Amino acid sequence: MNTLYKKDGKIKQRKHIVLYYEDRQVFNPSEDELLENGWEKYETPQPTEEEIFQREKQHKINEIQHYDSSREVNNFYIGEHSVWLDKATRTGLTLRFNSELAAKHETTSLWYENMKFTLPINDAIAMLYAIELYASACYDNTQQHLANVSNITTMEELENYDYRSGYPEMLRFEI
């Protein structure tokens, strides 16, 4: 472990300290040389219980956000194919499908990772609405978890908090 030393508000490892004398410079000085030149051993302060708690709370928030953006949440199935359409894609497809419906098309195409799904227009629109409701429910649940964690006051509560609960059942569409 590298011991730290402090002088004039600077904290450095011994190997990064150079001592300057009139006739020479000392690179990587010994501990005795450092102490003789006004450097003091520096002990890194230990975090307080509150600092540890806040760090763990932030870690839990990061876990919730990671889970919210994972395939555990952002996923549905068309047949056996795992699919996710982000908000911008869903919005664009809604415009497309409604335009095709107005033009009296009977079917449409949904492309995902080089796979083409051919669907009746009304089924495609209903599917997008269902996905939007699912995504909204997931968003609301995630926000509730974030609010819950922000209000937790004990480490035990934080450790036992299950942020995976309350999400709606993943959607499955058969075509």
Side-chain angles (χ1 to χ4, degrees):
M1 185 165 124
N2 294 316
T3 304
L4 298 174
Y5 294 88
K6 180 179 179 179
K7 181 179 177 182
D8 300 329
K10 296 178 184 173
I11 300 170
K12 294 184 175 185
Q13 294 178 357
R14 182 170 61 102
K15 66 183 178 181
H16 294 255
I17 299 173
V18 178
L19 298 179
Y20 296 94
Y21 297 98
E22 288 181 20
D23 59 338
R24 63 190 166 97
Q25 295 177 357
V26 176
F27 295 89
N28 200 16
S30 69
E31 184 173 326
D32 289 339
E33 289 174 307
L34 289 172
L35 296 174
E36 288 170 8
N37 282 275
W39 288 88
E40 302 171 356
K41 274 190 174 182
Y42 177 77
E43 297 295 327
T44 305
Q46 294 300 311
T48 66
E49 285 185 28
E50 180 61 21
E51 289 170 332
I52 292 170
F53 177 68
Q54 291 303 324
R55 184 175 53 221
E56 290 303 312
K57 192 182 259 194
Q58 184 59 53
H59 180 69
K60 185 70 76 173
I61 287 169
N62 293 344
E63 285 180 327
I64 292 168
Q65 291 169 334
H66 176 73
Y67 185 71
D68 176 64
S69 63
S70 75
R71 297 294 278 184
E72 297 289 323
V73 174
N74 295 329
N75 195 31
F76 64 90
Y77 288 89
I78 298 177
E80 295 302 313
H81 301 283
S82 173
V83 178
W84 185 245
L85 304 172
D86 63 27
K87 180 86 168 168
T89 302
R90 293 192 308 269
T91 301
L93 287 173
T94 300
L95 179 61
R96 173 187 172 175
F97 295 165
N98 284 324
S99 298
E100 290 173 339
L101 181 64
K104 308 266 192 254
H105 291 201
E106 291 183 20
T107 62
T108 189
S109 299
L110 171 64
W111 287 90
Y112 185 76
E113 294 183 351
N114 298 321
M115 288 183 292
K116 180 181 179 181
F117 301 98
T118 302
L119 306 160
I121 291 281
N122 288 328
D123 290 354
I125 292 170
M127 182 177 75
L128 283 179
Y129 288 152
I131 295 165
E132 192 60 37
L133 289 172
Y134 170 83
S136 295
C138 290
Y139 173 82
D140 290 343
N141 194 60
T142 296
Q143 294 308 306
Q144 186 62 60
H145 283 307
L146 292 170
N148 292 347
V149 167
S150 73
N151 292 320
I152 288 177
T153 58
T154 68
M155 188 65 88
E156 181 181 358
E157 231 183 325
L158 188 61
E159 289 171 349
N160 293 324
Y161 188 80
D162 179 13
Y163 59 84
R164 290 184 164 105
S165 65
Y167 285 93
E169 186 175 330
M170 200 168 291
L171 299 173
R172 292 189 174 275
F173 301 98
E174 297 300 327
I175 58 169

